[in-house]
């Protein structure tokens, strides 16, 4: 069956994983930044407080120096005094690095001092340009600006202290103050940090970190979960429920991508439609589960035969679509034949046949043409090729050719034009007379359609009836023909002609309508034609559709007074059984009886027996397609009731048939 997929162009948009990754990274950065800021803010606050204490502790030393010009004996540390360029007094070494101003205030004392780092010893944080950074807010700002110019070892201090309260950390600093005479006194001191000072900070930060870790973990689990779920969903969306392999949507999406993006443009491909013939019958005979097992074997065998990158999917009840690469176009048929063998081997002990339609895509270096590749259309071409095998049940391979494109185009044209043609009465009723071979008298006629198209000329039914049967328009045609035949009959009756029954073909698809008998009755009544002048012809294959419905319709038609005939008897199906069940009036022997090699010997035996059988069942017989005198003589001998064939007359326009009727009072010339 041809595909017109709805989901085929649905692009499955994967949830953007990178969004999750970016969110995750963002959260991590925020978390680290927040922790660093919190840590530095707390540390900075503690350092400033400690430093203020240190400064206050040294205020007495500065005041003493102001008064006496020397440091008090209680101050044993290093110091130096600067009078605006020269060191005028000192103890120890000047290891003063860069500094900054600190506003301090505790109780009544407050003021501004300069605080310098000590370049000899470890410091909290040291900038090459700016020296000590005790205010850790500044450290963070400077870090932002200056990258890693800082030795940030000191920043890690709180984390390495642990809870050992004896552990201490001395940060050496120089505190400088200007005396009233303009000199500057620099005193070396240190900020002492005990482990206990930082345990609280440490805990606070630890718990903050735990919260962040939990949040991070939830985010990670969530992200992983949604990725896995998405993968599962996508897999389900692209999986075939019967074979467990990929499905049609996947075939279209990936296959088309592959054809469009193939690197080696010269490489050829084959698109195949593989069908299990009469799969439904197989399931009825052997169960649905056996049928599905068969499909799985077919799928597996194809998959095992084609290349690793080739694709195969089940796309319809028993249809498979295959896209396979063909390295060497000359070997395409060989490769497809071996694939067919693999498919056939899936039947195992059962007698199953397979049809394969193939469409070959020749390699081409024209890159722009590849942009317009439509895999669905290519598959439909393969299906068209496969449909050419519909009239046989034998396994076979059919290759798509341009004639099929022409045929398809014609199907489309007819389908587009059919309604207008009906409205414009372009369909013409031809009549083919039926004669009694024993007396050569006119006994009936068959109404046969012709299309007198202003566009396409004169068309016989073979050019359009199968198309109407496929697209359902045949029911309109049947109505049209019944109405026209009834109208003609009524007119001829009114003209005083001796009318004989005219048979009209009613398509098998029409028999799905439960009120068909009523429709026919009403149409004939509308024209005012006696029912016995209209006969209904059913093709033999129609008897295989819904027997009960068919029997109901045939019975009703007979009740209404219409004769019913079986057309094309023995044209392909054995319908002896239908003869048993259906109360038919006329049996039309198929023209094939009178053609072919054995038409003379064996054919004659069958025809003679068929006529006898019909007679025993109280049915009349009509032999179709009779062209030569010997056949007429033979049929007359066998008591065949009527002959419809070129020997007597070809189908003719209504006016010609009217003339024939006028002459019908005597035997044919
Ligand atoms: P059919 O109903 O079996 O019609 C008999 C066909 O055999 C007619 O072909 C007729 O022209 C042809 N025929 C009759 N005698 C001879 C002969 O001696 N030699 C040869 N070679 N052919 C002969 P036609 O008119 O082309 O119709 C073909 C088929 O189209 C019909 O087969 C019928 O199945 C279908 N058909 C025709 N008209 C209608 C219609 O109005 N409605 C429906 N549903 N089908 C129609
Ligand atoms: Mg017929
Ligand atoms: Mg026929």
């Amino acid at each position: 069956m041809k595909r017109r997929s709805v989901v085929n162009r649905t692009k499955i948009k994967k949830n953007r994983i990178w969004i999750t990754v970016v969110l995750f990274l963002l959260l991590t950065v925020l978390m680290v930044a927040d922790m660093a800021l919190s840590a530095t803010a707390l540390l900075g606050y503690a350092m400033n407080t400690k430093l203020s204490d240190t400064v206050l502790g040294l205020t007495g030393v500065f005041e003493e120096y102001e008064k006496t010009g020397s440091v008090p004996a209680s101050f044993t540390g290093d110091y130096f005094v600067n009078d605006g360029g020269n060191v005028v007094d000192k103890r120890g070494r000047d290891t003063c690095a860069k500094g900054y101003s600190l506003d301090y205030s505790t109780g009544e004392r407050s003021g501004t001092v300069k605080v310098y780092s000590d370049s000899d010893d470890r410091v909290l944080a040291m900038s090459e340009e700016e020296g000590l950074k005790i205010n850790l807010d500044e450290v963070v700002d400077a870090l932002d600006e200056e990258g890693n110019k800082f030795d940030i070892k000191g920043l890690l201090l709180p984390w390495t202290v642990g809870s050992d309260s004896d552990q201490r950390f001395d940060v050496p600093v120089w505190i400088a103050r200007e005396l009233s005479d303009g000199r500057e006194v620099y005193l070396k001191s240190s900020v002492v940090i005990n482990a206990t000072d930082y345990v609280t900070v440490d805990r606070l930060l630890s718990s903050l970190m735990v919260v962040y870790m939990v949040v991070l973990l939830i985010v990670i689990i969530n992200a992983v979960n949604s990725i896995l779920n998405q993968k599962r969903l996508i897999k389900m969306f692209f999986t075939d429920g019967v074979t467990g392999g990929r499905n049609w949507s996947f075939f279209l999406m990936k296959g088309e991508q592959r054809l469009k993006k193939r690197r080696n443009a010269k490489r050829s491909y084959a698109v195949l439609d593989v069908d299990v013939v009469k799969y439904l019958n197989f399931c009825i005979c052997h169960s649905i589960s056996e049928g599905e097992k068969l499909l799985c074997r077919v799928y597996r065998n194809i998959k095992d035969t084609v290349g690793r990158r080739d694709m195969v999917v089940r796309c319809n009840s028993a249809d498979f679509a295959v896209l396979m690469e063909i390295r060497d176009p000359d070997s395409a048929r060989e490769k497809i034949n071996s694939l067919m063998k693999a498919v056939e081997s899936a039947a195992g002990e059962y007698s199953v046949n397979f049809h394969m339609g193939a469409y070959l895509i020749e390699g081409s270096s024209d890159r722009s043409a590849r942009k317009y590749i439509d895999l669905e259309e290519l598959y439909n071409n393969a299906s068209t090729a496969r449909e050419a095998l519909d009239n046989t049940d034998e396994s076979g391979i059919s290759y798509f050719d341009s004639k099929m494109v022409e045929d398809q185009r014609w199907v489309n044209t007819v389908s587009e034009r059919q309604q207008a043609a009906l409205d414009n009465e372009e369909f013409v009723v031809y009549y083919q007379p039926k004669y009694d071979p024993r007396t050569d008298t006119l006994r009936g006629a068959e109404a046969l359609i012709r299309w007198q198209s202003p566009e396409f000329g004169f068309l016989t039914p073979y050019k359009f009836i199968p198309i109407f049967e496929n697209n359902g328009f045949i029911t309109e045609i049947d109505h049209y023909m019944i109405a026209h035949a009834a109208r003609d009959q009524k007119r001829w009756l009114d003209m005083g002609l001796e009318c004989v029954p005219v048979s009209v073909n009613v398509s098998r698809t029409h028999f799905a309508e439960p009120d068909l008998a009523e429709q026919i009755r009403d149409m004939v009544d509308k024209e005012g034609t006696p029912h016995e002048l209209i006969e209904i012809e059913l093709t033999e294959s129609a008897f295989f559709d819904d027997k009960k419905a068919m029997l109901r319709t045939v019975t009703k038609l007979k009740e209404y007074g219409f004769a019913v005939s079986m057309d094309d008897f023995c044209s392909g199906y054995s319908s002896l059984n239908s003869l048993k069940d259906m109360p038919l009036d006329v049996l039309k022997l198929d023209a094939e009886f009178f053609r072919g090699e054995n038409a003379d010997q064996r054919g004659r035996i069958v025809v003679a027996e068929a006529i006898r059988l019909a007679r025993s069942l109280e049915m009349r017989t009509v032999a179709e397609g009779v062209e030569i005198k010997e056949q007429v003589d033979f049929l007359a001998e066998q008591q065949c009731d009527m002959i419809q064939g070129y020997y007597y007359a070809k189908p003719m326009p209504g006016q010609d048939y009217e003339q024939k009727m006028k002459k019908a009072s005597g035997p044919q010339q």
Side-chain angles (χ1 to χ4, degrees):
M1 190 203 280
K2 291 199 181 139
R3 301 292 310 225
R4 279 282 159 245
S5 175
V6 190
V7 289
N8 62 346
R9 300 295 177 265
T10 313
K11 294 272 181 294
I12 302 300
K13 286 205 173 138
K14 290 191 184 169
N15 226 343
R16 301 284 158 86
I17 290 174
W18 62 265
I19 293 180
T20 316
V21 172
V22 166
L23 276 176
F24 173 78
L25 288 177
L26 207 71
L27 198 74
T28 312
V29 168
L30 279 176
M31 187 192 101
V32 170
D34 191 27
M35 294 226 336
L37 283 173
S38 307
T40 51
L42 281 165
L43 201 58
Y45 176 76
M47 285 298 289
N48 273 343
T49 314
K50 288 264 170 193
L51 202 59
S52 289
D53 288 349
T54 308
V55 170
L56 283 172
L58 293 175
T59 342
V61 180
F62 286 121
E63 282 167 3
E64 181 76 18
Y65 199 91
E66 175 96 65
K67 267 192 232 150
T68 63
S70 60
V71 294
S74 55
F75 181 77
T76 54
D78 290 354
Y79 75 92
F80 68 88
V81 182
N82 194 323
D83 72 347
N86 302 315
V87 173
V88 290
D89 187 9
K90 74 169 193 172
R91 182 163 73 209
R93 218 160 45 88
D94 169 12
T95 55
C96 207
K98 287 188 176 175
Y100 82 110
S101 293
L102 171 76
D103 293 326
Y104 67 95
S105 88
T106 311
E108 292 141 28
R109 289 176 189 274
S110 65
T112 302
V113 288
K114 282 236 167 138
V115 180
Y116 295 87
S117 60
D118 187 289
S119 56
D120 270 2
D121 289 302
R122 238 169 106 207
V123 292
L124 255 185
M126 174 71 86
S127 155
E128 280 169 14
E129 282 102 32
E130 293 176 38
L132 178 71
K133 289 278 184 192
I134 288 177
N135 182 331
L136 291 176
D137 281 343
E138 281 181 28
V139 173
V140 172
D141 290 346
L143 259 178
D144 286 347
E145 283 163 20
E146 299 179 30
N148 55 8
K149 279 185 188 167
F150 277 91
D151 168 5
I152 57 165
K153 258 185 271 169
L155 264 180
L156 302 176
L157 173 70
W159 309 106
T160 54
V161 165
S163 56
D164 182 357
S165 55
D166 286 345
Q167 231 177 318
R168 34 181 286 145
F169 181 76
D170 293 341
V171 182
V173 289
W174 288 82
I175 312 289
R177 204 168 112 173
E178 198 178 326
L179 301 179
S180 49
D181 57 6
R183 285 176 303 160
E184 279 177 324
V185 180
Y186 291 76
L187 305 176
K188 188 171 180 181
S189 183
S190 64
V191 178
V192 179
I193 301 163
N194 289 319
T196 43
D197 295 338
Y198 290 94
V199 168
T200 324
V201 176
D202 185 23
R203 287 201 182 133
L204 206 83
L205 291 175
S206 297
S207 46
L208 205 65
M209 196 156 102
V210 168
V211 171
Y212 275 128
M213 282 304 177
V214 170
V215 172
L216 256 185
L217 207 69
I218 291 171
V219 169
I220 292 169
I221 290 173
N222 239 333
V224 170
N225 220 6
S226 75
I227 290 168
L228 288 179
N229 267 343
Q230 194 189 45
K231 282 202 157 178
R232 241 173 271 141
L233 265 175
I234 290 175
K235 196 167 174 223
M236 242 165 69
F237 186 78
F238 285 128
T239 300
D240 172 45
V242 174
T243 59
R246 300 299 199 181
N247 62 11
W248 173 247
S249 307
F250 184 84
F251 181 78
L252 280 187
M253 197 178 77
K254 286 283 170 194
E256 205 165 279
Q257 265 176 25
R258 212 181 139 192
L259 288 175
K260 282 180 179 165
K261 291 184 184 159
R262 73 194 121 130
R263 265 190 233 120
N264 188 346
K266 294 251 167 77
R267 202 148 275 178
S268 301
Y269 283 83
V271 180
L272 308 174
D273 174 16
V274 183
D275 180 42
V276 182
V277 177
K278 299 218 160 157
Y279 175 68
L280 212 63
N281 288 2
F282 180 89
C283 289
I284 291 167
C285 292
H286 305 288
S287 82
I288 293 177
S289 80
E290 270 307 299
E292 291 190 341
K293 278 186 203 153
L294 170 70
L295 296 180
C296 288
R297 285 199 299 275
V298 172
Y299 172 76
R300 204 50 21 243
N301 286 8
I302 299 178
K303 193 133 188 66
D304 291 347
T305 311
V306 297
R308 203 173 49 83
R309 296 196 62 222
D310 293 341
M311 294 171 73
V312 49
V313 299
R314 189 185 71 99
C315 59
N316 235 319
S317 102
D319 264 314
F320 292 86
V322 181
L323 173 66
M324 70 176 182
E325 191 180 303
I326 293 175
R327 274 166 220 279
D328 164 20
D330 298 333
S331 66
R333 286 182 187 243
E334 204 180 300
K335 206 172 169 189
I336 291 170
N337 282 346
S338 63
L339 186 70
M340 185 60 159
K341 282 204 181 86
V343 169
E344 280 176 322
S345 70
E349 71 209 68
Y350 300 112
S351 158
V352 186
N353 291 318
F354 300 90
H355 286 168
M356 195 183 274
Y359 180 79
L360 301 179
I361 310 165
E362 300 267 327
S364 134
S365 45
D366 180 3
R367 282 177 181 274
S368 62
R370 272 195 274 157
K371 258 201 312 201
Y372 303 104
I373 283 179
D374 180 350
L375 184 55
E376 189 172 15
E377 201 179 305
L378 304 181
Y379 174 76
N380 280 342
N381 289 347
S383 295
T384 305
R386 205 249 312 130
E387 277 164 13
L389 301 166
D390 276 355
N391 50 0
T392 167
D393 287 347
E394 298 293 308
S395 287
I397 303 170
S398 158
Y399 289 86
F400 184 82
D401 60 34
S402 52
K403 161 103 177 37
M404 288 172 177
V405 183
E406 291 283 298
D407 291 349
Q408 190 57 47
R409 242 180 241 147
W410 174 245
V411 168
N412 295 343
T413 310
V414 168
S415 303
E416 278 163 22
R417 290 281 299 114
Q418 59 194 24
Q419 189 58 51
L422 190 79
D423 297 343
N424 301 339
E425 300 243 336
E426 290 171 20
F427 297 111
V428 185
V429 187
Y430 268 46
Y431 291 91
Q432 186 177 27
K434 298 171 191 167
Y435 287 94
D436 185 334
R438 294 157 298 191
T439 57
D440 286 347
T441 47
L442 181 70
R443 293 278 302 277
E446 179 174 5
L448 294 161
I449 194 168
R450 300 291 180 263
W451 184 354
Q452 184 62 65
S453 163
E455 253 175 289
F456 316 115
F458 186 78
L459 302 174
T460 60
Y462 293 110
K463 288 288 278 178
F464 54 90
I465 287 287
I467 300 172
F468 294 163
E469 277 173 344
N470 262 338
N471 68 20
F473 193 65
I474 193 71
T475 53
E476 305 284 327
I477 290 294
D478 286 351
H479 285 167
Y480 181 93
M481 290 295 285
I482 292 168
H484 278 71
R487 198 170 302 157
D488 285 347
Q489 285 283 64
K490 178 72 172 73
R491 190 165 48 81
W492 292 322
L493 206 59
D494 293 346
M495 284 165 68
L497 294 176
E498 229 175 88
C499 288
V500 285
V502 163
S503 58
V504 186
N505 294 284
V506 174
S507 163
R508 57 189 290 185
T509 36
H510 217 143
F511 272 79
E513 294 176 22
D515 61 342
L516 176 65
E518 284 78 9
Q519 289 179 28
I520 294 174
R521 181 198 60 195
D522 295 346
M523 273 185 291
V524 175
D525 286 348
K526 195 173 163 218
E527 305 301 332
T529 314
H531 292 186
E532 64 274 14
L533 288 185
I534 297 294
E535 184 180 308
I536 302 300
E537 282 195 22
L538 307 170
T539 57
E540 193 191 8
S541 56
F543 291 84
F544 285 86
D545 291 343
D546 182 349
K547 269 203 173 148
K548 275 192 184 157
M550 166 82 63
L551 182 61
R552 257 198 318 271
T553 307
V554 169
T555 313
K556 275 199 267 177
L557 283 169
K558 283 174 64 76
E559 268 171 31
Y560 297 144
F562 297 104
V564 183
S565 58
M566 183 193 281
D567 201 358
D568 308 334
F569 179 66
C570 276
S571 61
Y573 300 82
S574 166
S575 49
L576 287 174
N577 212 26
S578 332
L579 287 185
K580 175 175 74 75
D581 298 330
M582 301 283 167
L584 300 166
D585 302 285
V586 180
L587 197 63
K588 294 191 79 178
L589 301 175
D590 193 60
E592 281 307 308
F593 276 125
F594 309 101
R595 305 211 167 90
E597 279 176 22
N598 295 322
D600 280 352
Q601 311 104 50
R602 299 177 73 85
R604 284 186 172 214
I605 300 172
V606 179
V607 170
E609 289 307 317
I611 294 171
R612 225 150 47 116
L613 177 69
R615 193 170 286 278
S616 318
L617 292 169
E618 294 179 347
M619 293 168 77
R620 278 165 281 138
T621 41
V622 177
E624 289 184 287
V626 176
E627 295 181 351
I628 50 176
K629 174 113 174 62
E630 291 85 73
Q631 291 166 346
V632 177
D633 293 343
F634 168 73
L635 288 163
E637 209 177 291
Q638 299 302 321
Q639 305 294 310
C640 178
D641 296 294
M642 283 169 266
I643 284 180
Q644 177 188 343
Y646 291 176
Y647 174 76
Y648 283 110
K650 288 191 172 181
M652 58 191 74
Q655 306 93 293
D656 297 357
Y657 176 63
E658 193 179 304
Q659 296 308 318
K660 286 252 179 231
M661 268 198 293
K662 284 180 182 163
K663 287 189 206 158
S665 46
Q668 289 300 297
Q669 303 311 305

